[in-house]
Amino acid sequence: MVRQERAVRTRRLILEAAASVFDEYGYEGATIGEVVARAGVTRGAVYFHFASKRELAQGVVEEQFGRDEIPERHCKLQEFVDLGMVVAHLMPRDPVLSAGARLSLGQDMFGDFSGGAAPGWIQRAEIVLETAGRRGELLPQVVPAETAWLVTGAWTGVQIQSQKMSGRADLERRIASLYQHLMPSIAVSGVLATLDLAADRGARVVAELAAARAAEPTAAEAGASGVTGAGADGAGPA
């Protein structure tokens, strides 16, 4: 178990180092040697987890989807907005998200990369929209699959232009404006009136998540208090 946990930590360390290298140099300019230096691991450790630079880049792109956590809301369209706003807040601050965008969309995009990160984001958005539809939050003409594709494409275009024109300094404001323009064509009026589409929405959701994590007991605290995650009869939550 200890060895497995160490392997997981090493893999994460390598991915984060690789993300910073890819984000700085692009795919063609990045080297395994630079990743080794930044991660502080051996070259053998890198190749144990990733057989090639291409596989390492693929790992960085896939790692994005562990960083899109948002709280569950009663209003699923607020979740839909929160997903885009959280990523907009984190992308200028998180090399994994930034490198994932560069690898997927940059001019140094490599090979047949199956659309980069876009299919994953589209699928994530479509699932939330489908639930919103079942709850009566969508206008009758809205098709979740089509809307997820369109909004993801629009989000991506805004991100590209923000990167080119301001180094993503205005990304949150631009993405908020995108949702302010698009949501009236997606949400029923009663839901639209409740949506928080402010430019600082992503920052506030990230702070909410951080506060929730800080309030969770550590493993040591849980053990000391006798909390095991099961009910009193050991059969699971009550």
Side-chain angles (χ1 to χ4, degrees):
M1 182 65 71
V2 172
R3 185 178 301 170
Q4 185 178 24
E5 290 175 354
R6 186 182 302 119
V8 170
R9 287 196 300 270
T10 300
R11 186 179 189 278
R12 185 180 300 117
L13 182 66
I14 292 168
L15 280 174
E16 290 180 352
S20 69
V21 174
F22 286 129
D23 195 33
E24 184 174 345
Y25 296 107
Y27 180 75
E28 294 298 335
T31 66
I32 295 295
E34 184 64 25
V35 174
V36 167
R38 294 195 188 189
V41 299
T42 65
R43 187 175 292 264
V46 173
Y47 283 116
F48 174 81
H49 290 280
F50 303 97
S52 64
K53 184 169 78 168
R54 180 186 176 85
E55 189 173 306
L56 183 55
Q58 180 76 48
V60 170
V61 171
E62 292 173 354
E63 184 70 8
Q64 294 179 87
F65 302 109
R67 296 172 185 249
D68 62 345
E69 180 186 1
I70 53 172
E72 186 174 354
R73 309 290 184 191
H74 175 71
C75 176
K76 303 312 284 187
L77 281 184
Q78 187 64 67
E79 281 187 36
F80 178 70
V81 171
D82 287 354
L83 176 62
M85 292 306 302
V86 163
V87 176
H89 175 72
L90 292 176
M91 186 168 281
R93 301 165 172 82
D94 187 337
V96 171
L97 287 170
S98 184
R102 177 166 186 171
L103 290 169
S104 298
L105 304 167
Q107 291 183 352
D108 55 359
M109 181 177 171
F110 49 99
D112 55 341
F113 201 47
S114 303
W121 293 119
I122 293 170
Q123 182 182 43
R124 179 81 164 84
E126 183 178 347
I127 290 170
V128 178
L129 287 171
E130 286 175 344
T131 305
R134 290 193 294 270
R135 295 188 179 185
E137 298 178 14
L138 303 181
L139 291 169
Q141 73 273 15
V142 174
V143 178
E146 293 295 322
T147 301
W149 196 103
L150 179 64
V151 174
T152 301
W155 197 106
T156 300
V158 171
Q159 188 275 136
I160 291 171
Q161 289 305 117
S162 176
Q163 170 64 23
K164 289 182 177 180
M165 298 178 72
S166 72
R168 298 199 188 104
D170 64 350
L171 180 58
E172 290 175 87
R173 179 170 66 86
R174 298 296 184 185
I175 293 297
S177 180
L178 173 68
Y179 285 117
Q180 290 159 14
H181 281 77
L182 292 182
M183 294 312 291
S185 67
I186 298 172
V188 298
S189 59
V191 170
L192 180 64
T194 70
L195 295 179
D196 184 344
L197 306 175
D200 68 341
R201 176 67 183 178
R204 286 186 281 115
V205 173
V206 169
E208 176 187 348
L209 289 167
R213 283 192 291 266
E216 293 176 354
T218 65
E221 290 170 341
S225 63
V227 176
T228 64
D233 61 359

